[in-house]
Amino acid sequence: MHQYDYLIAGAGLYGAVMAHELNKRGKKCLVIDRRDHIAGNIYCEDIEGIHVHKYGAHIFHTSNKKVWEYMNQFAEFNNYINSPIAVYKEELYNLPFNMNTFSKMWGIRTPQEAKEMIAKQVAQTNITDPQNLEEQALSLAGRDVYEKLIKGYTEKQWGRDCKDLPAFIIKRLPFRYTYDNNYFNDRYQGIPVGGYTAVVEKMLEGMEVRTGTDFFEFREENPDIAETIIFTGMIDEYFGYKLGALEYRSVRFETEVLDCDNYQGNAVVNYTEREVPYTRIIEHKHFEFGKQEKTVISREYSSEWKVGMDPYYPVNDEKNNSLFEQYKELAAGEQNVIFGGRLGDYKYYDMDKVVEAALNRLEEI
Ligand SMILES: Cc1cc2nc3c(=O)[nH]c(=O)nc-3n(C[C@H](O)[C@H](O)[C@H](O)COP(=O)(O)OP(=O)(O)OC[C@H]3O[C@@H](n4cnc5c(N)ncnc54)[C@H](O)[C@@H]3O)c2cc1C
């Protein structure tokens, strides 16, 4: 006899969608999370009345109408459009690379002029068979865009020189020959009014949720508590890292409350110079057009990851992907355990893709 139909380990977006849908279908679910809060990496902490994105800035964007409508059941979304700024030394540019960027960089006005300038700079590099990321970026963007906007930022992100990074990391560059600073191409975009934690709270409404509860300890004490387990933590940790640890890049945040109402005039400002140690500064209130008297900023530092630290970005290179495939084989042999989410699937998923993956998985169940 099991007390629950499902034990869901992880109260992030994936676990919450699964729990919500299973509960709706009459299944009895218990949701646990080892952190002391729900919502996983989309958790927002309330500081000075501002929703602070504790694990990194999150902007919801999707072209999938079904997913957009699904999310809108749990919150109304505002009309925030992500339009980051890049700072290189004393210069300031719009992102993504678009006519505003090119016009500022070269004093030009038309798409034709921008295309000619990029083609000229690309030709000057004389690179036909790029051997590393630097050569790849130069052969796609030319020297100015590479040196001012790509080089330092990428080196900080990966903790390595662009010459020592593989070319495949950059397949193509999203050049846009219009004066459009909208970072995403998706049809739908916004931030949930009330913040992301409230969305997850609503998904988990009426369900039993235990935070500060680690799955491995809990399972040891309650081996037969549920018929099926949905595990959204790290797949390698589930198997005690017995084949080795999958690698991640991590991010460290330094969050500060400032006694001013508007620090940088934009939610996201990237620092593309290598000498500035952080990659971005996020000013959280601008995601929700906040009018508070104070402001909260977070400096983001890209860092190495070691077992025990918060995992952020999976390193999906050949070595790690093949290790993941071996873990997946082990997972297939686990009776009544479903693995999912960004850590269970060892995959960088945007939020919409997480919702999509959970809804697809539910159909299979
Ligand atoms: C820095 C950063 C910025 C991002 N920005 C965006 C963005 O702008 N837009 C976008 O669409 N997506 C963004 N994403 C992606 C987004 O964060 C993910 O799609 C989403 O949070 C994944 O949800 P999840 O439930 O799979 O994982 P998580 O949110 O990580 O949830 C997994 C949960 O499982 C818990 N857990 C793990 N192990 C155990 C255990 N042993 N016992 C109990 N609980 C456990 C964890 O504590 C965690 O709460 C970003 C990601 C990062 C890293």
Side-chain angles (χ1 to χ4, degrees):
M1 280 299 286
H2 304 286
Q3 219 176 311
Y4 298 91
D5 296 313
Y6 287 90
L7 168 64
I8 298 165
L13 188 57
Y14 189 90
V17 170
M18 293 298 262
H20 180 82
E21 291 302 313
L22 290 164
N23 184 56
K24 217 165 77 181
R25 289 161 175 74
K27 301 292 179 192
K28 195 167 176 212
C29 301
L30 171 63
V31 182
I32 61 171
D33 201 297
R34 60 154 60 131
R35 287 177 176 161
D36 61 3
H37 58 75
I38 59 163
N41 274 13
I42 63 173
Y43 173 71
C44 294
E45 191 174 12
D46 193 321
I47 303 178
E48 299 288 341
I50 298 164
H51 294 127
V52 173
H53 298 205
K54 187 164 174 180
Y55 302 97
H58 279 77
I59 299 116
F60 194 89
H61 58 97
T62 187
S63 291
N64 184 329
K65 193 171 182 200
K66 191 174 144 201
V67 168
W68 178 247
E69 284 169 356
Y70 187 82
M71 289 300 286
N72 275 267
Q73 294 176 79
F74 305 103
E76 191 187 331
F77 279 73
N78 72 12
N79 58 341
Y80 175 80
I81 298 285
N82 195 32
S83 315
I85 299 285
V87 175
Y88 175 78
K89 299 186 194 278
E90 294 307 310
E91 298 165 29
L92 206 136
Y93 295 101
N94 288 107
L95 294 175
F97 310 132
N98 71 79
M99 284 307 297
N100 289 306
T101 328
F102 306 141
S103 159
K104 183 87 180 272
M105 198 170 277
W106 300 312
I108 52 137
R109 205 156 52 84
T110 67
Q112 186 59 29
E113 288 172 301
K115 283 180 189 169
E116 280 168 12
M117 181 59 107
I118 290 168
K120 187 174 119 198
Q121 292 205 1
V122 164
Q124 279 166 354
T125 66
N126 269 329
I127 299 166
T128 46
D129 182 19
Q131 295 300 308
N132 54 50
L133 191 144
E134 173 163 297
E135 291 183 4
Q136 172 78 340
L138 281 168
S139 71
L140 290 169
R143 191 153 295 278
D144 285 346
V145 172
Y146 170 67
E147 283 189 347
K148 293 185 175 188
L149 299 176
I150 299 174
K151 185 177 189 298
Y153 194 84
T154 311
E155 291 183 342
K156 285 190 281 190
Q157 257 190 328
W158 290 94
R160 272 192 273 163
D161 206 279
C162 281
K163 288 194 186 78
D164 301 328
L165 287 165
F168 75 81
I169 293 181
I170 296 183
K171 291 199 178 73
R172 53 185 194 87
L173 287 171
F175 285 146
R176 197 182 276 163
Y177 294 100
T178 53
Y179 287 90
D180 177 5
N181 295 327
N182 181 351
Y183 195 74
F184 299 114
N185 290 316
D186 282 318
R187 169 71 182 80
Y188 309 102
Q189 182 173 177
I191 305 284
V193 175
Y196 289 99
T197 313
V199 169
V200 175
E201 242 161 38
K202 207 154 175 206
M203 286 177 174
L204 296 175
E205 218 164 55
M207 251 172 282
E208 205 180 320
V209 180
R210 294 190 207 170
T211 52
T213 305
D214 178 69
F215 167 75
F216 302 108
E217 288 166 20
F218 186 78
R219 185 180 54 173
E220 215 162 288
E221 288 157 19
N222 307 276
D224 297 315
I225 199 162
E227 196 179 326
T228 305
I229 290 166
I230 297 179
F231 184 77
T232 75
M234 293 156 70
I235 190 166
D236 51 349
E237 188 183 11
Y238 181 95
F239 292 105
Y241 304 106
K242 68 176 168 195
L243 306 174
L246 291 162
E247 291 173 300
Y248 289 86
R249 286 293 296 168
S250 200
V251 191
R252 182 170 62 81
F253 303 98
E254 262 178 25
T255 296
E256 223 184 308
V257 180
L258 301 179
D259 216 355
C260 70
D261 67 341
N262 187 3
Y263 172 70
Q264 61 184 16
N266 205 36
V268 183
V269 177
N270 290 8
Y271 286 80
T272 58
E273 207 186 320
R274 186 157 186 183
E275 287 64 33
V276 176
Y278 38 85
T279 49
R280 309 195 293 183
I281 297 184
I282 304 299
E283 187 169 10
H284 302 268
K285 71 190 313 179
H286 295 308
F287 288 121
E288 300 183 55
F289 318 112
K291 299 275 182 290
Q292 298 85 350
E293 279 174 21
K294 293 192 181 182
T295 195
V296 182
I297 59 163
S298 298
R299 291 187 181 83
E300 294 187 0
Y301 299 81
S302 180
S303 72
E304 290 292 333
W305 175 86
K306 291 192 187 72
V307 171
M309 287 167 76
D310 266 337
Y312 282 92
Y313 298 104
V315 181
N316 286 113
D317 59 8
E318 224 168 276
K319 181 180 118 198
N320 285 290
N321 285 346
S322 99
L323 183 56
F324 171 66
E325 286 305 318
Q326 294 172 47
Y327 276 116
K328 232 170 101 178
E329 274 175 37
L330 289 181
E334 284 287 291
Q335 291 290 308
N336 303 325
V337 185
I338 294 164
F339 293 83
R342 68 181 189 104
L343 301 171
D345 286 344
Y346 190 63
K347 194 169 177 184
Y348 180 84
Y349 276 131
D350 271 328
M351 289 178 278
D352 61 328
K353 297 291 182 292
V354 163
V355 173
E356 209 174 287
L359 295 176
N360 288 342
R361 200 60 215 256
L362 277 153
E363 269 177 32
E364 286 168 30
I365 297 172

